[in-house]
């Protein structure tokens, strides 16, 4: 896939899975996310938001850090099925990068989740409810966190998870935030204002389609 200065192993994995040319969304957001600024991305399914998200996380980390067990990328998804789907995508695109990816959701065993967390992971994927439970009952080392991603933030806000998302954001503190959504919801403006920096970059790929 032709993205500027992309990790070679990651690029090879993408090509091996048939992803040779990036979508407009993937091409235009890759550099901005890589720069470390806060980003909000809105676009249709066919623009490949999931792939853009996985690329961003893998590019950010690239390799494990010896002796480090704290999570470095945290991804909040809407449900169990998205946790399981993302785990599979990370396995495909992260092959050979040796990064530890762990997933938690409302139906996993909380005690086992805590035990696995103590063993260490690079990328943690979870539902809002389960992550809040883990943060409140076991604590969470956020000192090494480099990226906080919310996928389908529009769906999660629509499902009235706003208070829990705020709680997670407050627990995490300062780190890069990247939000992905399909549709605009009225809650998104206030949520972004309260959780992101003032220089947040917005990308709306519906507007770009209209202009073309």
């Amino acid at each position: 896939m032709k993205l500027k200065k992309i990790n070679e192993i990651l690029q090879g994995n993408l090509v091996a899975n048939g992803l040779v040319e990036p979508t407009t969304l993937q091409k235009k957001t890759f550099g901005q996310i890589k720069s470390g600024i806060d980003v909000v991305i809105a676009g249709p399914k066919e623009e490949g938001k999931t792939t853009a998200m996985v690329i961003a996380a893998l590019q950010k980390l690239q390799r494990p850090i010896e002796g480090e067990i704290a999570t470095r990328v945290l991804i909040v998804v809407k449900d169990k099925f998205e946790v399981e789907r993302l785990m599979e995508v990370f396995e495909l695109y992260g092959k050979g990068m040796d990064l530890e990816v762990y997933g938690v959701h409302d139906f996993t065993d909380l005690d086992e989740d805590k035990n696995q967390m103590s063993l260490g992971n690079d990328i943690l994927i979870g539902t809002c409810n389960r992550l809040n439970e883990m943060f409140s009952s076991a604590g969470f080392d956020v000192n090494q966190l480099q990226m906080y991603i919310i996928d389908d933030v529009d769906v999660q806000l629509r499902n009235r998870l706003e208070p829990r998302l705020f709680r997670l954001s407050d627990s995490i503190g300062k780190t890069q935030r990247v939000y992905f959504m399909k549709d605009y919801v009225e809650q998104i403006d206030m949520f972004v204002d309260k959780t992101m920096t003032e220089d947040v970059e917005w990308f709306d790929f519906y507007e770009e389609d209209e202009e073309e």
Side-chain angles (χ1 to χ4, degrees), residues 18-193:
L19 301 176
V20 179
E21 291 293 336
T23 65
T24 302
L25 182 151
Q26 292 159 4
K27 188 173 182 178
K28 290 192 174 183
T29 62
F30 178 73
Q32 294 294 332
I33 298 175
K34 193 168 67 168
S35 73
I37 65 171
D38 290 348
V39 179
V40 180
I41 300 168
K45 181 179 180 180
E46 56 267 25
E47 279 292 336
K49 295 191 298 297
T50 297
T51 298
M53 176 173 58
V54 174
I55 289 173
L58 294 174
Q59 178 69 31
K60 172 72 78 172
L61 302 188
Q62 301 201 37
R63 61 185 180 275
I65 297 177
E66 186 176 353
E68 180 59 62
I69 66 170
T71 299
R72 290 187 288 153
V73 172
L74 178 63
I75 304 175
V76 187
V77 298
K78 62 183 179 181
D79 56 33
K80 165 189 174 181
F81 303 103
E82 283 301 301
V83 172
E84 294 173 345
R85 185 173 77 94
L86 264 188
M87 291 285 289
E88 293 176 355
V89 177
F90 270 106
E91 184 176 356
L92 288 175
Y93 300 164
K95 186 176 180 180
M97 299 179 76
D98 299 323
L99 294 166
E100 292 291 336
V101 183
Y102 189 67
V104 300
H105 53 73
D106 301 5
F107 300 98
T108 53
D109 183 272
L110 182 57
D111 289 332
E112 178 61 20
D113 291 340
K114 294 176 186 176
N115 290 336
Q116 289 295 323
M117 286 296 297
S118 68
L119 298 176
N121 63 82
D122 297 291
I123 300 169
L124 176 62
I125 307 165
T127 56
C128 185
N129 289 335
R130 176 44 54 94
L131 290 172
N132 266 283
E133 286 182 302
M134 293 177 67
F135 271 57
S136 61
S137 63
F140 192 86
D141 183 1
V142 298
N143 293 325
Q144 303 303 318
L145 197 65
Q146 298 178 29
M147 181 182 285
Y148 174 54
I149 299 172
I150 304 179
D151 193 22
D152 295 310
V153 65
D154 52 328
V155 175
Q156 299 200 55
L157 291 174
R158 198 180 293 123
N159 289 340
R160 301 180 180 179
L161 291 173
E162 193 170 351
R164 293 187 177 99
L165 290 172
F166 273 130
R167 196 175 304 128
L168 275 178
S169 184
D170 290 343
S171 300
I172 288 165
K174 187 177 181 180
T175 192
Q176 181 187 17
R177 288 162 162 76
V178 183
Y179 302 159
F180 291 86
M181 62 183 181
K182 180 182 177 183
D183 301 313
Y184 177 84
V185 289
E186 61 181 17
Q187 302 100 311
I188 190 64
D189 293 312
M190 183 178 70
F191 185 73
V192 168
D193 286 343

